[in-house]
Each structure stands twice: as structure tokens, then as C-alpha cells.
Amino acid sequence: MNLHYRVEGQGKAIVLIHGLFGSLDNLGLLARSLKDNYKVISVDLRNHGKSAHTDTFTYQDMANDVLAVIDELNIEQFSVVGHSMGGKVAMALSEVATTRLDHLMILDMAPVHYHVHRHENVFAGLREVAKHTVHKRSEAEVYLAKHVLEPGVRQFLLKSFAKDGDSYNWRFNVEGLIANYATIMGWNDVLPFEGKTLFIKGQESEYILPEHREKIAQQFPHAKAHMVANTGHWLHAEKPETVNRIILSFLQRP
């Protein structure tokens, strides 16, 4: 699958991978921080942003999509930063591009199967909006607010609500994401990756927990960990300067 992507800057390559319901713009602050010294490749994963919609939606599929972009750009060695679902895509890359991956950086995600359904209200809100012909974002927010109570979550989702002809539609594939939700929340263990790996956790987030340490150690035996104080799952948006500094420091490790 041909992904939509953006390339900025020159130098060693680093790939930025967004999370569920996102797009390549989600890690824009990090891209701006990195592009003075690195070649930054930001991607829209399949079923997101301006990339194509598809029925199949596995982490191996998505990792191979990203690798195809890297190959198209004739890049041999690269590093990767992935947030949330994008973190799992990055971890899957460690298996399909083991010898080509320099630094693996995961923002608030563990290599585990999550059993809690975290997005029922979001899917209900997205379907509510889809029932109506909507001509502006403010109309969509009214319908979305029936199910999604947090204003910040609504604003994040609405970044992917774009003009499509005479009306607006979601850029991501709502029904495709719903159909594949178990796969998105799931995980198939990868072979141990011996390379440089960093897990960055939001202190108040529940995506990386003490009980996940064993799974992390099994699959990423040399992993380091860094906690960002007073942040949740969106740590890179809540404390961008701190997260950017952590990533830049880790990239400079030989």
C-alpha cells in the first residue's frame, strides 16, 4: 500500500508514526524540533489521514507499509518514533527491519494485548456524525458531544474531519477501525530486538503499567524507560519540549 507521507530536513532518517484516529500532523511539534538535524519522515498510516482505506489492518501490514516508504526513499538505516498505536507499528518494524533500525522510541504504549475497550464512546460519536450531512466542524462537534464528553478529545478527532466535495467527512476509515478494533488493541509478540530502545511513559497514563515490564523485557531486552511527570497519554502534546529533549538525547546515543 502506498502511504501518504511528508519529508522534512536532511541528515540521518527518523520516521514519526501517529496513533489511532490521528494523522502525520499529530507529531508536528516533534518534526519541527528534529528537522534541523535529521531527515524526518512523517506518515499517515493506512485508514488514516490521506492514506488509502483498506479492510486489512494488522501491525505487520502497517509495519510493511512504513518500510515501503523507507525503501521508496532509498533509505537504508533509520530510527523511529511511534505514539500509542503507532508505537505498536514501530515495535512491529523491529521484527521486519531488525538490522536497519538504529533507535526505537515508543511513546506511551506497551507490547501487550489490552483487554479494556477504551473507545466505545468515540466510535459512537463518529457514527453519530456520519448519520448527518454536515457542512462545518461546529455542526459535527454538536453530534460528537452526545457521546464524547471531553472537549480536548473532540478537538483532536475533528482535526481529521475534512471537506469532501460539498460536505465534510472523517478522513479515517470509521467502519474499518471498528471492524479491526480487536486487532488494534491486540498484539502478537515480536522476536527479541537487541537494538537501542526507549519507552517514554506519561506518568498519569495507564498504557504502560508495572505488570507490562516482563513483556517489555522479553521483546526488548535492552530497553530503557523514561517517565514524563504530570502527563497523560498525550505526553508529547502536553509537554512537547520535555519529550523532544528526551528523544534528541536518546538519538545522540552511539
Side-chain angles (χ1 to χ4, degrees):
M1 165 160 305
N2 294 323
L3 298 185
H4 174 252
Y5 62 89
R6 181 172 62 216
V7 181
E8 302 170 277
Q10 296 293 328
K12 291 183 177 179
I14 179 164
V15 184
L16 306 184
I17 310 177
H18 65 80
L20 184 61
F21 308 119
S23 73
L24 58 77
D25 290 327
N26 290 157
L27 296 173
L29 290 175
L30 178 56
R32 259 172 286 190
S33 169
L34 292 169
K35 68 181 182 181
D36 289 342
N37 297 297
Y38 295 89
K39 182 192 287 283
V40 182
I41 301 106
S42 304
V43 300
D44 281 337
L45 294 172
R46 62 170 64 193
N47 290 318
H48 290 78
K50 295 180 181 178
S51 289
H53 292 183
T54 174
D55 293 335
T56 57
F57 198 67
T58 69
Y59 283 111
Q60 187 170 34
D61 288 336
M62 290 188 281
N64 284 321
D65 290 345
V66 174
L67 196 56
V69 171
I70 301 302
D71 288 341
E72 183 178 318
L73 294 170
N74 296 312
I75 293 167
E76 181 57 34
Q77 296 295 126
F78 64 97
S79 296
V80 62
V81 177
H83 171 246
S84 194
M85 181 185 78
K88 283 188 170 179
V89 177
M91 289 186 270
L93 268 168
S94 75
E95 190 165 68
V96 299
T98 307
T99 60
R100 298 171 64 182
L101 199 51
D102 290 331
H103 296 78
L104 174 63
M105 291 154 284
I106 312 300
L107 301 180
D108 211 56
M109 179 56 54
V112 299
H113 183 105
Y114 292 95
H115 297 284
V116 179
H117 197 307
R118 297 169 184 263
H119 301 97
E120 284 177 332
N121 65 320
V122 172
F123 285 131
L126 299 178
R127 279 178 156 168
E128 183 69 38
V129 174
K131 291 178 187 174
H132 306 273
T133 301
V134 176
H135 297 285
K136 51 186 178 181
R137 283 198 175 100
S138 58
E139 292 176 21
E141 185 169 13
V142 172
Y143 298 122
L144 200 56
K146 292 181 179 181
H147 302 278
V148 180
L149 303 183
E150 304 91 337
V153 176
R154 293 200 300 270
Q155 290 306 309
F156 164 68
L157 293 168
L158 287 167
K159 288 179 181 178
S160 291
F161 194 62
K163 196 166 181 60
D164 181 15
D166 294 330
S167 61
Y168 278 76
N169 284 300
W170 297 112
R171 284 202 188 278
F172 41 70
N173 180 3
V174 175
E175 295 305 321
L177 297 181
I178 292 171
N180 290 277
Y181 189 72
T183 300
I184 294 166
M185 297 302 283
W187 180 248
N188 294 320
D189 288 2
V190 294
L191 294 171
F193 175 65
E194 302 289 341
K196 296 180 282 288
T197 306
L198 177 66
F199 286 83
I200 308 176
K201 170 182 166 54
Q203 182 184 25
E204 296 163 4
S205 171
E206 296 183 347
Y207 277 86
I208 299 178
L209 297 172
E211 54 262 37
H212 298 153
R213 285 177 185 160
E214 184 178 346
K215 278 289 190 183
I216 291 171
Q218 285 172 357
Q219 296 167 77
F220 303 96
H222 301 297
K224 306 291 184 185
H226 203 300
M227 183 180 292
V228 181
N230 305 313
T231 59
H233 188 54
W234 295 93
L235 63 168
H236 59 290
E238 294 170 43
K239 289 198 174 179
E241 291 181 2
T242 301
V243 172
N244 294 357
R245 188 168 62 248
I246 293 166
I247 288 171
L248 280 165
S249 175
F250 188 69
L251 283 168
Q252 287 159 12
R253 286 186 57 194

